């Protein structure tokens, strides 16, 4: 938009940049929309304050400070200290306390918070401001020395870990602070942290400080200002720690975003039996059911609930424990859902019966829950159907289609007493694999292709690489909101958490299960049912999901399948808004039937060569390849004709008049012959030809670069009888099915065309055969002849090719190979670092269309093709047709359809709908 001249001429007054945003202390500067600047946590703390919810006052140091910090060799912008001091004064004033004051000390938490939530990735410090003087003030004020020393020892522990770096030094070492704490409990003969008295806790404070001095050679800072800036520096520093970097990589979060720092007045859940802390979701994050879902612990602080050191109680139990606080919380739940129109994830603390809100954010959920919540919220009139579609990621549908344990095999495992334990059903699905006890081993084994189950006492952010590599995750401690559960749900991993019967021995690389004799060692198979929480010894085969059983296996009716019904509802909405049609790549009648069940509107790619590997077909195919004259080749082709025709008849019958694109023979011929001597001898014997002839033929067919060799339309040009036979099989099948009263719509597709003459010559053959067949059979039907656009010359001369072709289908696998000059089969060595390390391509170009390169060629081809034939049908049949980002690009290009594997059809339908909504 053009600005008025006068304004542009006058430079804006130079205001000091704003680094700090207050909340809760009489003034709130931020709001939920300001996540880029305040991070998710800061923005939502501000929003909750605005909603009038009880949020302890504080302030947010913006992400711009983080960016500045890293751009200037880890230095803060000028004036930051003065701004922080001023913001802190506001909080002091609001609460009538002073930071560092020995009589009425203000204690704060220093919390990280990036734009996208990174659960557990960054470090938080609680109870900051405590020292040997202020702890006395806290005691006098609260009359509760145990509480004061509990807070103090937590602070020293967190500060020692996060700021001063006293952490376990090897993957088998336990946290040194925890070791000291355990030792103290052993000395006092107690089992719970809460049973340690004030004196024991006071001793621990001293011991912790000594430990820090000994191991780190630094003195624990008593000065609250020094503590504060140490903590702020640590939060900014944690943006670049390994686990944060790994998390960003996995989730595609740019490094440039930076984190904010939140400094907030403390409230205390550890003040005794009338205090506590908890986390909750406004709906069940696993199933999506509209119930208040969460966990709490009385007399506990912060991380206790998530850390899994004590097993928390379900939120419903709070009603009995503290009805007033529970009532307030239920109201907050309603307020938040009505305001955000989303399922929210909240953190709260109860201090002596009074509720405080410490965090809220949109809750992570399983795919099941995402769909259920989206559909329910439409019915509750909280959101529109378009919103519902925007809220389900297409790839989440994968989780719905994923296998579950085979029922018979599970019963058998049960009868064999292999059900050894039960934990919390934290991440639904079925997983079976070999046990590993740490993340590194999970990664190594998974790389070599083994399915693994990562077993940990509890997981921490250091484990995410291993969690990502594992099929499933099993933990001994922690609840439904533990780190393991949270991260697993987000990754879509199977997870059983808090399985308390496990007795894990990291050093021995083995575990026992309470009350059972057997020992499970590293490398042994176990199976996890993340939907029930069951843990089995050994392998259990898996079976189809509910959606697949309704649609494909037909072993369930929709009435018996609630998950299916939600899926069907969402898909109905998707089909209403999408413009792109969705077809499937399928070569056989049964695959076509599956494709239709998943909503395919046609076949976008039938690879005829796959048929040749079927029963009884490979022999005549080989005969054809070994033929020494045209006559011999025709004889072999004559044997193939009825076999191909029968296959096509099956497909046409299933497809019931939907378009079916059949591609003529594409791969190099040597793919049909064995390359080892034993195999070649077998072929020779079977076909009654000398072994030498087979070997010579294989040698003659050898190519240095088969991808660019004798394949595609080149085969049909040199051996026109092959195309002739295939065209005849297609059209005879079409005629027969048509005569049986079923509509047909064949589309013959010529592969690897770079020059219009290639297509013209092949099209000529196909048209002649079509005319012949229609005359012979006395029936007429419509058919199309088109081509794949899969080499750059074809794309660049699309206007010429469009003179002959009636449709284009982008073969983006080959188009990517030829445009990038990268052979997919040889890319293994460099493509991974190309993407993840050098960041040359943002994503794997074989998974997501490289819009700038391959995409440009597609655009050129589409424009030039339609310049000649404005209504020309355009589609895509490469692997990319099932990738949501690529589907969106196809929508933008104005293609008519995408085609993908049958199981990705629902994903493509949803992606197409979302692309239409975004456009
Ligand atoms: P994370 O991002 O890892 O969840 P948080 O900053 O939310 O870290 O803090 C960790 C824990 O400490 C949470 O349980 C949170 O509720 C609690 N906490 C943070 N700030 C305060 C505070 N000012 N008073 C009481 N508890 C707090
Ligand atoms: Mg939190
Ligand atoms: Mg190809």
């Amino acid at each position: 938009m053009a600005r008025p001249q006068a304004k542009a001429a006058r430079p804006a007054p130079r205001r000091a940049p704003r680094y700090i945003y207050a909340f809760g202390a009489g003034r709130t500067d931020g709001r939920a929309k300001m996540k880029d600047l305040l991070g998710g946590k800061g923005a939502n703390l501000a929003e909750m304050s605005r909603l009038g919810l009880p949020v302890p006052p504080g302030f947010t140091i913006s992400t711009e400070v983080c960016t500045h910090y890293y751009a200037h060799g880890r230095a803060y912008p000028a004036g930051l200290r003065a701004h922080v001091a001023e913001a802190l004064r506001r909080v002091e004033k609001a609460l009538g306390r002073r930071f560092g004051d020995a009589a009425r000390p203000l204690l704060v938490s220093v919390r990280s918070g990036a734009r996208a939530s990174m659960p557990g990735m960054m470090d938080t410090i609680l109870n900051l401001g405590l020292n040997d003087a202020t702890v006395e003030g806290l005691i006098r004020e609260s009359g509760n020395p145990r509480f004061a020393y509990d807070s103090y020892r937590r602070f020293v522990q967190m500060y020692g870990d996060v700021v001063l770096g006293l952490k376990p030094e090897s993957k088998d070492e336990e946290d040194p602070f925890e070791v000291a704490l355990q030792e103290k409990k052993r000395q006092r003969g107690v089992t719970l942290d809460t049973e340690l008295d004030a004196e024991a806790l006071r001793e621990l404070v001293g011991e912790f400080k000594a430990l820090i001095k000994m191991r780190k050679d630094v003195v624990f800072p008593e000065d609250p200002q020094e503590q504060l800036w140490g903590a702020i520096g640590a939060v900014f520093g944690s943006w670049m720690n390994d686990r944060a970097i790994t998390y960003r990589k996995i989730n595609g979060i740019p490094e440039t975003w930076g984190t904010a720092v939140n400094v907030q007045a403390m409230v205390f859940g550890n003040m005794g039996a009338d205090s506590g802390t908890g986390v909750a979701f406004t709906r069940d994050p696993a199933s999506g059911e509209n119930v208040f879902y969460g966990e709490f612990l009385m007399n506990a602080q912060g991380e206790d609930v998530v850390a899994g050191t004590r097993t928390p109680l379900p939120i419903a139990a709070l009603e009995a424990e503290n009805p007033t606080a529970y009532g307030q919380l239920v109201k907050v739940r309603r307020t938040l859902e009505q305001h955000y129109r989303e399922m929210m994830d909240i953190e709260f603390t109860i201090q002596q019966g009074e509720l405080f809100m410490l965090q809220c954010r949109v809750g992570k959920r399983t795919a099941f829950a995402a769909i259920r919540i989206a559909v329910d919220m439409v019915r509750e009139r909280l959101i529109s159907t378009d919103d519902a579609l925007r809220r389900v990621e297409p790839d989440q549908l994968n989780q719905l289609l994923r296998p579950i344990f085979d029922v018979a095999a599970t019963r058998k495992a049960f009868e064999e007493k292999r059900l050894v334990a039960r934990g919390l059903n934290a991440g639904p699905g079925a997983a079976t694999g070999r046990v590993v006890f740490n993340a590194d081993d999970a990664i190594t084994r998974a790389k070599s292709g083994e399915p693994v189950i990562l077993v940990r006492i509890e997981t921490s952010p250091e484990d995410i690489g291993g969690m990502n590599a594992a099929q499933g995750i099993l933990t001994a401690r922690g609840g439904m909101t533990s780190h393991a559960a949270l991260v697993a749900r987000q990754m879509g991993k199977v997870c059983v958490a808090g399985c308390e019967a496990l007795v894990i021995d990291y050093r021995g690389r083995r575990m026992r299960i309470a009350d059972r004799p057997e020992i499970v060692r590293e490398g042994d198979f176990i199976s996890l049912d993340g939907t029930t929480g069951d843990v089995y010894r050994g392998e259990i085969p898996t079976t189809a999901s509910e959606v697949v059983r309704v649609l494909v296996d037909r072993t369930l009716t929709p009435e018996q399948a609630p998950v299916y019904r939600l899926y069907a509802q969402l898909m109905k909405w998707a089909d209403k808004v999408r413009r792109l049609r969705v077809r499937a790549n399928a070569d056989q009648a049964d695959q076509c039937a599956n494709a239709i069940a998943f909503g395919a509107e046609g076949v976008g790619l039938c690879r005829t060569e796959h048929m040749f590997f079927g029963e009884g077909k490979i022999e005549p195919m080989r005969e054809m390849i070994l033929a020494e004259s045209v006559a011999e080749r025709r004889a072999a082709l004559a044997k193939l004709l009825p076999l191909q025709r029968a296959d096509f008849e099956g497909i046409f019958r299933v497809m019931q008049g939907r378009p079916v694109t059949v591609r003529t023979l594409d791969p190099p011929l040597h793919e049909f012959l064995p390359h080892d001597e034993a195999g070649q001898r077998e072929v020779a014997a079977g076909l009654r030809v000398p072994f030498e002839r087979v070997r010579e033929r294989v040698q003659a067919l050898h190519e240095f670069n088969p991808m660019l060799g004798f394949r595609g339309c080149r085969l049909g040009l040199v051996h026109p009888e092959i195309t002739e036979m295939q065209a005849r099989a297609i059209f005879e099948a079409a005629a027969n099915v048509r005569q049986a009263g079923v509509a047909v719509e064949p589309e013959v597709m010529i592969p690897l065309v770079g020059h219009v003459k290639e297509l013209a010559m092949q099209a000529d053959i196909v048209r002649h055969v079509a005319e012949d067949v229609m005359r012979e059979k006395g029936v007429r039907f419509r058919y199309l002849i088109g081509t794949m656009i899969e080499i750059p010359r074809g794309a660049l001369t699309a206007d010429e090719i469009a003179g002959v072709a009636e449709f284009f289908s982008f073969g983006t696998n080959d188009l990517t190979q030829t445009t990038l000059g990268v052979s997919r089969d040889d890319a293994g060595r460099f493509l991974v670092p190309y993407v993840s390390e050098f960041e040359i391509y943002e994503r794997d170009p074989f998974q997501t269309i490289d819009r700038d390169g391959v995409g440009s060629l597609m655009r050129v081809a589409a424009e030039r093709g339609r310049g000649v034939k404005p209504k020309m049908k355009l589609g895509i049949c490469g692997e990319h047709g099932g990738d949501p980002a690529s589907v969106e690009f196809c929508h933008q290009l104005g293609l008519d359809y995408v085609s993908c594997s049958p199981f990705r059809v629902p994903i493509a339908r949803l992606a197409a709908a979302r692309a239409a909504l975004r456009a």
Side-chain angles (χ1 to χ4, degrees), residues 57-71:
F59 56 90
T60 304
I61 308 176
S62 83
T63 55
E64 285 176 356
V65 175
C66 186
T67 315
H68 180 285
Y69 181 77
Y70 283 109

Side-chain angles (χ1 to χ4, degrees), residues 577-580 886-895 898 911-913 915-919:
V577 303
R578 72 184 158 96
R579 186 191 54 71
L580 270 177
S886 307
V887 170
E888 179 173 20
F889 181 65
C890 292
H891 175 93
Q892 292 166 358
L893 271 191
L895 301 198
V898 297
L917 290 176
R918 257 196 300 269

Side-chain angles (χ1 to χ4, degrees), residues 270-307:
N270 56 338
M271 277 188 114
D274 59 350
S275 303
T277 181
V279 290
F281 293 90
T282 55
R283 302 185 186 211
D284 185 331
S287 72
E289 203 185 334
N290 189 0
V291 293
F292 199 17
Y293 191 93
E295 290 160 334
F296 73 99
L297 274 174
M298 295 314 276
N299 200 13
Q301 197 178 43
E303 308 280 52
D304 291 1
V305 180
V306 230

Side-chain angles (χ1 to χ4, degrees), residues 6 93-94 103 107 148 165 167 185 202 308 353 373 498 522 552 622 721 723 752 766 805 810 857:
K93 221 156 125 204
L107 302 187
K167 293 174 194 291
K185 286 196 271 188
R202 196 185 59 80
I373 291 168
E522 183 182 82
V552 179
R622 286 171 171 165
E721 57 279 8
T723 306
L752 220 70
V766 175
F810 290 101
L857 277 175

